[in-house]
């Protein structure tokens, strides 16, 4: 299905650039070869999320994986997934998963 290929391509582009804090919606639109409006409308229709929120969700899911599977500190994970600030990262992580990243790592980590 063409819609799932689109979503897979968006995910791949975000994951390929996940450590780059400069990955913005505009950069992603360029990588996808689409105008900002077309990209926004298509992604919103398929995921019910704004592009910026979708990028952040992919980053947070990767962060959760790193917290479970590695021995990296929370701040290292934050930078690894493209957040400029561990504090900003922690706030969004808690909003998404309901616990602070350090607590998540204690409970879920190896």
């Amino acid at each position: 299905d063409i819609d799932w290929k689109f979503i897979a391509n968006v995910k791949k582009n975000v994951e390929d650039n996940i450590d780059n804090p400069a990955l913005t919606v505009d950069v992603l639109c360029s990588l996808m070869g689409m105008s900002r409006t077309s990209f926004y409308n298509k992604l919103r229709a398929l995921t019910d999320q704004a592009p910026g929120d979708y990028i952040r969700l992919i980053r947070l899911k990767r962060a959760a994986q790193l917290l479970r599977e590695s021995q990296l500190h929370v701040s290292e994970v934050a930078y690894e997934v493209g957040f400029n600030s561990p504090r900003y990262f922690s706030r969004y992580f808690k909003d998404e998963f309901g616990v602070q990243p350090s607590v998540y790592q204690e409970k879920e980590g190896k």
Side-chain angles (χ1 to χ4, degrees), residues 32-73:
M32 296 293 295
M34 297 178 75
S35 73
R36 185 178 174 93
T37 304
S38 296
F39 180 76
Y40 180 93
N41 290 337
K42 185 162 186 151
L43 191 66
R44 184 72 171 196
L46 295 173
T47 66
D48 201 31
Q49 291 182 307
D53 295 338
Y54 192 69
I55 292 169
R56 187 171 47 242
L57 179 63
I58 293 170
R59 290 181 192 271
L60 290 171
K61 285 182 177 181
R62 175 70 176 130
Q65 179 187 4
L66 288 172
L67 289 169
R68 282 192 311 270
E69 297 174 359
S70 75
Q71 297 300 318
L72 296 173
H73 293 281

Side-chain angles (χ1 to χ4, degrees), residues 18 28 41 43 64 67 88 95-97 103 106:
I18 202 157
L28 190 54
N41 290 337
L43 191 66
L67 289 169
Y88 178 75
D95 288 348
E96 183 64 31
F97 296 101
V103 174
E106 274 179 31

